[in-house]
mmCIF file of all heavy atoms in Angstrom:
data_model
loop_
_atom_site.group_PDB
_atom_site.id
_atom_site.type_symbol
_atom_site.label_atom_id
_atom_site.label_comp_id
_atom_site.label_asym_id
_atom_site.label_seq_id
_atom_site.Cartn_x
_atom_site.Cartn_y
_atom_site.Cartn_z
ATOM 1 N N GLY V 992 120.751 132.587 27.114
ATOM 2 C CA GLY V 992 121.034 131.117 27.017
ATOM 3 C C GLY V 992 120.356 130.336 25.921
ATOM 4 O O GLY V 992 120.532 129.140 25.848
ATOM 5 N N HIS V 993 119.417 131.037 25.141
ATOM 6 C CA HIS V 993 118.764 130.279 24.073
ATOM 7 C C HIS V 993 119.738 129.953 23.001
ATOM 8 O O HIS V 993 120.546 130.764 22.697
ATOM 9 C CB HIS V 993 117.569 131.073 23.536
ATOM 10 C CG HIS V 993 116.586 130.215 22.803
ATOM 11 N ND1 HIS V 993 116.839 129.748 21.494
ATOM 12 C CD2 HIS V 993 115.372 129.798 23.203
ATOM 13 C CE1 HIS V 993 115.812 129.010 21.161
ATOM 14 N NE2 HIS V 993 114.831 128.956 22.116
ATOM 15 N N PRO V 994 119.657 128.655 22.492
ATOM 16 C CA PRO V 994 120.712 128.131 21.640
ATOM 17 C C PRO V 994 120.435 128.392 20.104
ATOM 18 O O PRO V 994 121.241 127.892 19.282
ATOM 19 C CB PRO V 994 120.745 126.700 21.964
ATOM 20 C CG PRO V 994 119.311 126.357 22.266
ATOM 21 C CD PRO V 994 118.716 127.565 22.932
ATOM 22 N N TRP V 995 119.356 129.000 19.706
ATOM 23 C CA TRP V 995 118.997 129.039 18.286
ATOM 24 C C TRP V 995 118.995 130.489 17.809
ATOM 25 O O TRP V 995 118.468 131.449 18.427
ATOM 26 C CB TRP V 995 117.631 128.414 18.036
ATOM 27 C CG TRP V 995 117.493 126.942 18.153
ATOM 28 C CD1 TRP V 995 118.628 126.023 18.368
ATOM 29 C CD2 TRP V 995 116.373 126.108 18.186
ATOM 30 N NE1 TRP V 995 118.186 124.820 18.475
ATOM 31 C CE2 TRP V 995 116.728 124.823 18.454
ATOM 32 C CE3 TRP V 995 115.059 126.458 18.083
ATOM 33 C CZ2 TRP V 995 115.853 123.812 18.415
ATOM 34 C CZ3 TRP V 995 114.042 125.411 18.137
ATOM 35 C CH2 TRP V 995 114.494 124.132 18.307
ATOM 36 N N VAL V 996 119.461 130.715 16.509
ATOM 37 C CA VAL V 996 119.341 131.967 15.837
ATOM 38 C C VAL V 996 118.449 131.648 14.506
ATOM 39 O O VAL V 996 119.025 130.879 13.642
ATOM 40 C CB VAL V 996 120.607 132.630 15.462
ATOM 41 C CG1 VAL V 996 120.369 133.849 14.643
ATOM 42 C CG2 VAL V 996 121.463 132.889 16.713
ATOM 43 N N PHE V 997 117.200 132.058 14.478
ATOM 44 C CA PHE V 997 116.435 131.814 13.266
ATOM 45 C C PHE V 997 116.882 132.728 12.180
ATOM 46 O O PHE V 997 117.400 133.876 12.290
ATOM 47 C CB PHE V 997 114.917 132.040 13.625
ATOM 48 C CG PHE V 997 114.406 130.928 14.509
ATOM 49 C CD1 PHE V 997 114.301 131.092 15.880
ATOM 50 C CD2 PHE V 997 113.871 129.770 14.035
ATOM 51 C CE1 PHE V 997 113.766 130.022 16.654
ATOM 52 C CE2 PHE V 997 113.447 128.796 14.757
ATOM 53 C CZ PHE V 997 113.366 128.902 16.039
ATOM 54 N N ARG V 998 116.582 132.263 10.983
ATOM 55 C CA ARG V 998 116.974 133.007 9.739
ATOM 56 C C ARG V 998 116.425 134.423 9.719
ATOM 57 O O ARG V 998 117.121 135.330 9.420
ATOM 58 C CB ARG V 998 116.452 132.185 8.473
ATOM 59 C CG ARG V 998 116.935 132.825 7.168
ATOM 60 C CD ARG V 998 116.217 132.086 6.033
ATOM 61 N NE ARG V 998 116.568 130.639 6.063
ATOM 62 C CZ ARG V 998 115.760 129.757 5.470
ATOM 63 N NH1 ARG V 998 114.613 130.079 5.020
ATOM 64 N NH2 ARG V 998 116.076 128.485 5.545
ATOM 65 N N LYS V 999 115.139 134.583 10.167
ATOM 66 C CA LYS V 999 114.457 135.835 10.196
ATOM 67 C C LYS V 999 115.241 136.878 11.158
ATOM 68 O O LYS V 999 114.932 138.109 11.089
ATOM 69 C CB LYS V 999 113.051 135.775 10.358
ATOM 70 C CG LYS V 999 112.653 135.136 11.730
ATOM 71 C CD LYS V 999 111.226 134.926 11.867
ATOM 72 C CE LYS V 999 110.914 134.303 13.178
ATOM 73 N NZ LYS V 999 109.334 134.035 13.322
ATOM 74 N N ALA V 1000 115.942 136.321 12.094
ATOM 75 C CA ALA V 1000 116.653 137.235 13.065
ATOM 76 C C ALA V 1000 117.888 137.800 12.518
ATOM 77 O O ALA V 1000 118.528 138.674 13.155
ATOM 78 C CB ALA V 1000 116.907 136.453 14.327
ATOM 79 N N VAL V 1001 118.425 137.208 11.424
ATOM 80 C CA VAL V 1001 119.654 137.785 10.851
ATOM 81 C C VAL V 1001 119.467 138.948 9.988
ATOM 82 O O VAL V 1001 118.574 138.882 9.165
ATOM 83 C CB VAL V 1001 120.374 136.596 10.084
ATOM 84 C CG1 VAL V 1001 121.716 137.108 9.492
ATOM 85 C CG2 VAL V 1001 120.623 135.375 10.951
ATOM 86 N N GLU V 1002 120.293 140.031 10.321
ATOM 87 C CA GLU V 1002 119.983 141.231 9.543
ATOM 88 C C GLU V 1002 120.415 141.138 8.127
ATOM 89 O O GLU V 1002 119.622 141.618 7.156
ATOM 90 C CB GLU V 1002 120.799 142.355 10.112
ATOM 91 C CG GLU V 1002 120.500 143.790 9.647
ATOM 92 C CD GLU V 1002 121.272 144.744 10.396
ATOM 93 O OE1 GLU V 1002 122.525 145.058 10.126
ATOM 94 O OE2 GLU V 1002 120.691 145.369 11.447
ATOM 95 N N ARG V 1003 121.554 140.543 7.756
ATOM 96 C CA ARG V 1003 122.001 140.293 6.387
ATOM 97 C C ARG V 1003 122.445 138.878 6.298
ATOM 98 O O ARG V 1003 123.375 138.427 6.910
ATOM 99 C CB ARG V 1003 123.172 141.229 6.133
ATOM 100 C CG ARG V 1003 122.776 142.711 6.031
ATOM 101 C CD ARG V 1003 124.004 143.465 5.532
ATOM 102 N NE ARG V 1003 125.180 143.374 6.404
ATOM 103 C CZ ARG V 1003 125.446 144.053 7.487
ATOM 104 N NH1 ARG V 1003 124.489 144.888 7.906
ATOM 105 N NH2 ARG V 1003 126.582 143.730 8.185
ATOM 106 N N ALA V 1004 121.715 138.106 5.455
ATOM 107 C CA ALA V 1004 122.002 136.672 5.209
ATOM 108 C C ALA V 1004 123.336 136.639 4.391
ATOM 109 O O ALA V 1004 123.547 137.417 3.413
ATOM 110 C CB ALA V 1004 120.881 136.040 4.414
ATOM 111 N N PRO V 1005 124.283 135.817 4.890
ATOM 112 C CA PRO V 1005 125.568 135.690 4.085
ATOM 113 C C PRO V 1005 125.379 135.052 2.760
ATOM 114 O O PRO V 1005 124.454 134.183 2.535
ATOM 115 C CB PRO V 1005 126.411 134.741 4.981
ATOM 116 C CG PRO V 1005 125.374 133.976 5.803
ATOM 117 C CD PRO V 1005 124.213 134.856 5.932
ATOM 118 N N ALA V 1006 126.242 135.279 1.766
ATOM 119 C CA ALA V 1006 126.160 134.790 0.410
ATOM 120 C C ALA V 1006 127.122 133.618 0.368
ATOM 121 O O ALA V 1006 128.221 133.703 0.636
ATOM 122 C CB ALA V 1006 126.537 135.779 -0.619
ATOM 123 N N ARG V 1007 126.584 132.375 0.040
ATOM 124 C CA ARG V 1007 127.445 131.243 -0.266
ATOM 125 C C ARG V 1007 128.291 130.836 0.799
ATOM 126 O O ARG V 1007 129.418 130.364 0.697
ATOM 127 C CB ARG V 1007 128.204 131.382 -1.550
ATOM 128 C CG ARG V 1007 127.337 131.585 -2.729
ATOM 129 C CD ARG V 1007 128.263 131.755 -3.989
ATOM 130 N NE ARG V 1007 127.406 131.976 -5.228
ATOM 131 C CZ ARG V 1007 127.925 132.141 -6.415
ATOM 132 N NH1 ARG V 1007 129.190 132.146 -6.652
ATOM 133 N NH2 ARG V 1007 127.093 132.309 -7.448
ATOM 134 N N LEU V 1008 127.707 130.886 2.071
ATOM 135 C CA LEU V 1008 128.540 130.573 3.246
ATOM 136 C C LEU V 1008 128.262 129.055 3.431
ATOM 137 O O LEU V 1008 127.127 128.531 3.650
ATOM 138 C CB LEU V 1008 128.068 131.368 4.509
ATOM 139 C CG LEU V 1008 129.126 131.301 5.755
ATOM 140 C CD1 LEU V 1008 130.434 131.916 5.354
ATOM 141 C CD2 LEU V 1008 128.432 132.054 6.902
ATOM 142 N N PRO V 1009 129.310 128.156 3.495
ATOM 143 C CA PRO V 1009 129.077 126.723 3.599
ATOM 144 C C PRO V 1009 128.496 126.261 4.918
ATOM 145 O O PRO V 1009 128.684 126.854 5.952
ATOM 146 C CB PRO V 1009 130.473 126.196 3.415
ATOM 147 C CG PRO V 1009 131.339 127.229 2.747
ATOM 148 C CD PRO V 1009 130.764 128.514 3.310
ATOM 149 N N ALA V 1010 127.642 125.244 4.814
ATOM 150 C CA ALA V 1010 127.159 124.566 6.095
ATOM 151 C C ALA V 1010 128.374 124.232 6.971
ATOM 152 O O ALA V 1010 129.321 123.648 6.611
ATOM 153 C CB ALA V 1010 126.356 123.335 5.682
ATOM 154 N N GLY V 1011 128.188 124.540 8.309
ATOM 155 C CA GLY V 1011 129.191 124.126 9.224
ATOM 156 C C GLY V 1011 130.265 125.253 9.422
ATOM 157 O O GLY V 1011 130.975 125.150 10.450
ATOM 158 N N THR V 1012 130.145 126.389 8.803
ATOM 159 C CA THR V 1012 131.059 127.407 9.034
ATOM 160 C C THR V 1012 130.829 128.001 10.389
ATOM 161 O O THR V 1012 129.701 128.265 10.839
ATOM 162 C CB THR V 1012 130.852 128.601 8.043
ATOM 163 O OG1 THR V 1012 130.984 128.094 6.709
ATOM 164 C CG2 THR V 1012 131.754 129.762 8.255
ATOM 165 N N ILE V 1013 131.977 128.156 11.149
ATOM 166 C CA ILE V 1013 131.840 128.779 12.471
ATOM 167 C C ILE V 1013 131.637 130.308 12.393
ATOM 168 O O ILE V 1013 132.526 130.942 11.751
ATOM 169 C CB ILE V 1013 133.052 128.391 13.382
ATOM 170 C CG1 ILE V 1013 133.267 126.906 13.486
ATOM 171 C CG2 ILE V 1013 132.998 129.146 14.706
ATOM 172 C CD1 ILE V 1013 132.101 126.304 14.155
ATOM 173 N N VAL V 1014 130.676 130.853 12.932
ATOM 174 C CA VAL V 1014 130.304 132.216 12.815
ATOM 175 C C VAL V 1014 130.098 132.894 14.199
ATOM 176 O O VAL V 1014 129.773 132.263 15.068
ATOM 177 C CB VAL V 1014 129.030 132.439 11.933
ATOM 178 C CG1 VAL V 1014 129.194 131.922 10.578
ATOM 179 C CG2 VAL V 1014 127.806 131.809 12.685
ATOM 180 N N ASP V 1015 130.440 134.101 14.222
ATOM 181 C CA ASP V 1015 130.126 134.978 15.321
ATOM 182 C C ASP V 1015 128.874 135.760 15.137
ATOM 183 O O ASP V 1015 128.776 136.399 14.125
ATOM 184 C CB ASP V 1015 131.289 136.001 15.642
ATOM 185 C CG ASP V 1015 132.521 135.360 16.402
ATOM 186 O OD1 ASP V 1015 132.356 134.175 16.727
ATOM 187 O OD2 ASP V 1015 133.496 136.055 16.531
ATOM 188 N N VAL V 1016 127.903 135.623 16.103
ATOM 189 C CA VAL V 1016 126.722 136.467 15.993
ATOM 190 C C VAL V 1016 127.005 137.738 16.773
ATOM 191 O O VAL V 1016 127.423 137.720 17.837
ATOM 192 C CB VAL V 1016 125.528 135.630 16.616
ATOM 193 C CG1 VAL V 1016 124.220 136.500 16.594
ATOM 194 C CG2 VAL V 1016 125.328 134.349 15.895
ATOM 195 N N THR V 1017 126.610 138.826 16.131
ATOM 196 C CA THR V 1017 126.897 140.120 16.672
ATOM 197 C C THR V 1017 125.659 141.012 16.775
ATOM 198 O O THR V 1017 124.780 140.868 15.944
ATOM 199 C CB THR V 1017 127.976 140.830 15.923
ATOM 200 O OG1 THR V 1017 127.562 141.035 14.524
ATOM 201 C CG2 THR V 1017 129.353 140.024 15.773
ATOM 202 N N GLU V 1018 125.772 142.076 17.656
ATOM 203 C CA GLU V 1018 124.805 143.064 17.642
ATOM 204 C C GLU V 1018 125.475 144.425 17.785
ATOM 205 O O GLU V 1018 126.339 144.560 18.686
ATOM 206 C CB GLU V 1018 123.899 142.924 18.920
ATOM 207 C CG GLU V 1018 122.808 143.937 19.077
ATOM 208 C CD GLU V 1018 122.137 143.823 20.378
ATOM 209 O OE1 GLU V 1018 122.732 143.773 21.343
ATOM 210 O OE2 GLU V 1018 120.797 143.752 20.351
ATOM 211 N N ASP V 1019 125.230 145.199 16.810
ATOM 212 C CA ASP V 1019 125.903 146.564 16.688
ATOM 213 C C ASP V 1019 127.461 146.348 16.684
ATOM 214 O O ASP V 1019 128.223 147.167 17.360
ATOM 215 C CB ASP V 1019 125.476 147.457 17.748
ATOM 216 C CG ASP V 1019 123.915 147.886 17.685
ATOM 217 O OD1 ASP V 1019 123.444 147.802 16.569
ATOM 218 O OD2 ASP V 1019 123.414 148.030 18.668
ATOM 219 N N GLY V 1020 127.948 145.230 16.125
ATOM 220 C CA GLY V 1020 129.427 145.072 15.975
ATOM 221 C C GLY V 1020 129.997 144.354 17.182
ATOM 222 O O GLY V 1020 131.109 144.121 17.199
ATOM 223 N N ARG V 1021 129.039 144.145 18.188
ATOM 224 C CA ARG V 1021 129.649 143.526 19.411
ATOM 225 C C ARG V 1021 129.380 142.027 19.454
ATOM 226 O O ARG V 1021 128.262 141.663 19.089
ATOM 227 C CB ARG V 1021 129.070 144.235 20.703
ATOM 228 C CG ARG V 1021 129.391 145.610 20.812
ATOM 229 C CD ARG V 1021 128.930 146.232 22.235
ATOM 230 N NE ARG V 1021 127.569 145.972 22.432
ATOM 231 C CZ ARG V 1021 126.611 146.840 22.006
ATOM 232 N NH1 ARG V 1021 126.942 147.987 21.378
ATOM 233 N NH2 ARG V 1021 125.261 146.580 22.364
ATOM 234 N N PHE V 1022 130.275 141.207 19.967
ATOM 235 C CA PHE V 1022 130.104 139.775 20.052
ATOM 236 C C PHE V 1022 129.054 139.366 20.950
ATOM 237 O O PHE V 1022 128.876 139.923 22.017
ATOM 238 C CB PHE V 1022 131.417 139.200 20.547
ATOM 239 C CG PHE V 1022 131.459 137.712 20.781
ATOM 240 C CD1 PHE V 1022 131.712 136.802 19.723
ATOM 241 C CD2 PHE V 1022 131.047 137.165 22.017
ATOM 242 C CE1 PHE V 1022 131.572 135.429 20.062
ATOM 243 C CE2 PHE V 1022 130.921 135.777 22.267
ATOM 244 C CZ PHE V 1022 131.220 134.849 21.214
ATOM 245 N N VAL V 1023 128.242 138.524 20.409
ATOM 246 C CA VAL V 1023 127.064 137.955 21.294
ATOM 247 C C VAL V 1023 127.278 136.476 21.601
ATOM 248 O O VAL V 1023 127.250 135.915 22.763
ATOM 249 C CB VAL V 1023 125.708 138.163 20.613
ATOM 250 C CG1 VAL V 1023 124.568 137.491 21.499
ATOM 251 C CG2 VAL V 1023 125.403 139.586 20.414
#
């Protein structure tokens, strides 16, 4: 239930992804 994903928790930072983009956070390819 925690609502934040910190930058250091992301395995690969996206390139040039605009602010506000809706993203799926995944683990081993599975939706989180």
Side-chain angles (χ1 to χ4, degrees):
H993 200 281
W995 291 350
V996 178
F997 288 94
R998 185 186 302 155
K999 61 185 179 182
V1001 178
E1002 189 173 84
R1003 292 188 304 276
R1007 298 182 181 179
L1008 197 62
T1012 301
I1013 300 301
V1014 298
D1015 278 356
V1016 179
T1017 62
E1018 182 185 48
D1019 296 330
R1021 297 190 303 274
F1022 175 88
V1023 177

